[in-house]
């Protein structure tokens, strides 16, 4: 089976990096995951002051978000890391590598920021993914398509009620 994603680690004239692919493209359903921070299911910060614990929690949260969209890390085409100190990047890479398990790495960007939404947070990561059409079709055939809804927001999408 051919991958639905194409990774180009080093286009002509660009130095290769072992940390990411310079270019990734594919076909399928686009999925955007908002920046995830080290919050547990109750909204408490996991690993205050500990970049390793926070990075692990962030990737666990990304995993849950991707699963909610019928996607997984194999479908990720782009990660953007926001860190309060670039010294946290080795912790982020360790957590990332545990989830990608030898698969080609997506395109990525890392940005050091002066602060995140709460002062005890050290890492935030957003993701973009493409879910292959074959998997999407199989999922739709195997189960009723869920109604679109806005969770935790005001208003509705396509007439569906918002979850409160």
């Amino acid at each position: 089976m051919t991958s639905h994603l194409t990774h180009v680690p080093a286009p002509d004239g660009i130095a290769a990096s072992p940390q990411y692919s310079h270019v990734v493209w594919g076909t399928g359903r686009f999925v955007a995951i908002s920046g995830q921070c080290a919050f547990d299911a109750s909204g408490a910060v996991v690993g205050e002051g500990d970049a390793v614990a926070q990075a692990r929690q962030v990737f666990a949260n990304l995993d849950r978000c991707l699963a909610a969209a019928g996607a997984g890390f194999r479908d990720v085409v782009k990660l953007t890391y926001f860190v309060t100190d670039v010294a946290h990047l080795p912790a982020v890479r360790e957590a990332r590598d545990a989830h990608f398990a030898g698969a080609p790495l997506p395109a990525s960007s890392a940005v050091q920021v002066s602060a995140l939404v709460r002062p005890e947070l050290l890492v935030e990561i957003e993701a973009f993914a493409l879910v292959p059409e074959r998997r999407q079709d199989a999922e739709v055939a195997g189960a009723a398509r869920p109604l679109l809804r806005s969770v935790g927001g005001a208003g509705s999408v396509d007439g569906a009620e918002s979850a409160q």
Side-chain angles (χ1 to χ4, degrees):
M1 178 176 189
T2 305
S3 172
H4 72 288
L5 298 179
T6 299
H7 291 78
V8 181
D12 289 342
I14 304 291
S17 171
Q19 300 301 327
Y20 55 87
S21 295
H22 280 282
V23 180
V24 181
W25 74 82
T27 60
R29 182 171 39 94
F30 179 73
V31 176
I33 306 296
S34 292
Q36 296 297 303
C37 295
F39 295 118
D40 66 14
S42 68
V45 174
V46 172
E48 189 170 339
D50 182 347
V52 172
Q54 286 196 20
R56 287 180 183 152
Q57 182 65 42
V58 168
F59 273 94
N61 292 348
L62 287 168
D63 191 28
R64 290 179 187 100
C65 291
L66 288 163
F73 284 102
R74 68 191 171 284
D75 303 309
V76 172
V77 295
K78 176 75 163 73
L79 292 171
T80 305
Y81 311 114
F82 303 94
V83 293
T84 57
D85 187 331
V86 293
H88 302 319
L89 287 175
V92 169
R93 289 182 189 123
E94 178 184 320
R96 177 206 59 200
D97 291 349
H99 287 276
F100 279 87
L105 294 174
S108 67
S109 300
V111 180
Q112 181 172 317
V113 296
S114 61
L116 294 170
V117 69
R118 292 196 16 202
E120 63 271 32
L121 294 171
L122 306 173
V123 176
E124 180 174 338
I125 302 172
E126 68 181 13
F128 298 110
L130 285 173
V131 179
E133 298 297 333
R134 290 176 303 275
R135 187 167 355 125
Q136 179 181 338
D137 293 344
E139 289 168 356
V140 170
R145 190 173 199 164
L147 290 175
L148 296 176
R149 62 188 174 131
S150 175
V151 178
S156 63
V157 177
D158 291 346
E161 293 297 317
S162 293
Q164 297 298 325

